[in-house]
Amino acid sequence: FTALSENKLEGMESLIDQFMQIKKGFRAKNHDLLDYHNNKFDRDFVEFNVRISELEGAMLQFVDHSFEKISSVSHSLDLLHKFQNILQRESLKADLDSKLKLIFMNYGLELEKTQQLYEKLKHSPPIPRNAPPVAGSIMWSRHLLKRIEEPMKRFEENQNVLEGKDAKKIIKMYNKIARTLVHFEFLWTNAWTSQIDEAKAGLHATLIIRHPDDNKL
């Protein structure tokens, strides 16, 4: 909770304030730990832990709500990384680990959408304004590849999430889409390269010639 107060996560102000009040109240009781005849510290410490557990429950709800508001896999991974750096209590870390598996499942859905988008637009890709057809098509395919490639690199940092039957299906789908996009770029590049010789021949053509009938320029 102290780490939370130092990092100032938006929306957690009330939880941090509650923790500070609980800690302040516990310290204000000035327990004499050397007085082993007095068990007031034990009772107060149990009460302190109960209140902290309740606060952890509220924090888990906040974490769940934070992820519900995010639809992007990349943004979800950014948020998860931020929480993992701050929340070190075992009960909270276990919940964050389960979030990673859920994000990976959502990544699988995002792969399906990317595949559908590619199949829909591969014959006439959306090209940025003023971009040549070849360059524009390659830019589009690279954008799709980057969209699926960057999250996968981050998932690979945690091998546990890549295990299991469902995970294998997602990995297989990723490899298939990535190969398709790379091949798409190769086809456009190869078609452009094959036209270079034709373009060179045009550059060597004479610009000014005489008319065959009157011999005028």
Side-chain angles (χ1 to χ4, degrees):
F1 286 95
T2 303
L4 280 174
S5 64
E6 293 173 352
N7 285 271
K8 297 180 180 179
L9 281 176
E10 184 178 354
M12 306 239 3
E13 294 82 4
S14 62
L15 293 175
I16 295 171
D17 289 342
Q18 290 180 52
F19 171 73
M20 293 303 180
Q21 291 299 322
I22 294 172
K23 183 173 72 170
K24 182 179 179 181
F26 185 76
R27 285 180 171 177
K29 294 182 180 181
N30 293 321
H31 298 97
D32 184 2
L33 300 180
L34 298 179
D35 185 3
Y36 58 89
H37 294 293
N38 188 349
N39 62 357
K40 188 175 184 304
F41 170 80
D42 295 331
R43 295 195 305 270
D44 290 341
F45 188 64
V46 169
E47 181 184 354
F48 173 81
N49 282 324
V50 168
R51 297 184 67 184
I52 292 298
S53 295
E54 292 173 348
L55 207 55
E56 285 183 351
M59 184 175 295
L60 288 176
Q61 291 181 354
F62 173 83
V63 171
D64 290 341
H65 183 64
S66 297
F67 281 102
E68 288 172 358
K69 296 188 294 184
I70 299 178
S71 57
S72 166
V73 169
S74 294
H75 290 166
S76 295
L77 288 171
D78 290 339
L79 182 63
L80 180 64
H81 181 68
K82 184 181 294 184
F83 279 133
Q84 285 176 328
N85 286 337
I86 298 173
L87 306 179
Q88 297 298 322
R89 295 177 71 88
E90 289 302 321
S91 59
L92 299 175
K93 289 172 67 175
D95 185 73
L96 292 178
D97 289 341
S98 68
K99 288 287 185 295
L100 182 60
K101 294 181 179 179
L102 179 60
I103 294 172
F104 189 62
M105 292 299 106
N106 290 335
Y107 174 68
L109 298 176
E110 192 163 298
L111 285 176
E112 292 179 1
K113 292 179 180 178
T114 301
Q115 186 175 32
Q116 293 169 2
L117 182 64
Y118 169 78
E119 292 297 334
K120 179 181 179 181
L121 300 176
K122 63 182 179 181
H123 295 301
S124 84
I127 297 175
R129 186 177 181 182
N130 298 325
V134 174
S137 297
I138 291 176
M139 288 170 61
W140 175 70
S141 66
R142 287 184 178 181
H143 168 73
L144 293 181
L145 183 59
K146 183 179 180 181
R147 194 164 78 179
I148 67 171
E149 197 173 43
E150 290 186 351
M152 179 56 81
K153 289 180 180 178
R154 299 174 68 174
F155 287 125
E156 288 174 344
E157 296 174 0
N158 191 324
Q159 289 296 316
N160 291 333
V161 79
L162 301 180
E163 299 174 355
K165 186 177 180 180
D166 292 334
K168 300 296 183 185
K169 291 180 180 179
I170 294 175
I171 295 171
K172 185 177 180 179
M173 187 191 311
Y174 164 79
N175 290 332
K176 179 182 177 181
I177 297 173
R179 284 195 302 268
T180 300
L181 292 172
V182 170
H183 184 64
F184 177 88
E185 179 176 339
F186 169 78
L187 290 177
W188 275 97
T189 304
N190 193 49
W192 175 77
T193 303
S194 65
Q195 294 175 359
I196 291 179
D197 290 336
E198 183 180 339
K200 284 183 177 179
L203 291 174
H204 290 298
T206 304
L207 296 178
I208 302 176
I209 62 173
R210 293 185 181 277
H211 194 279
D213 296 333
D214 55 16
N215 206 33
K216 292 183 178 180
L217 292 176

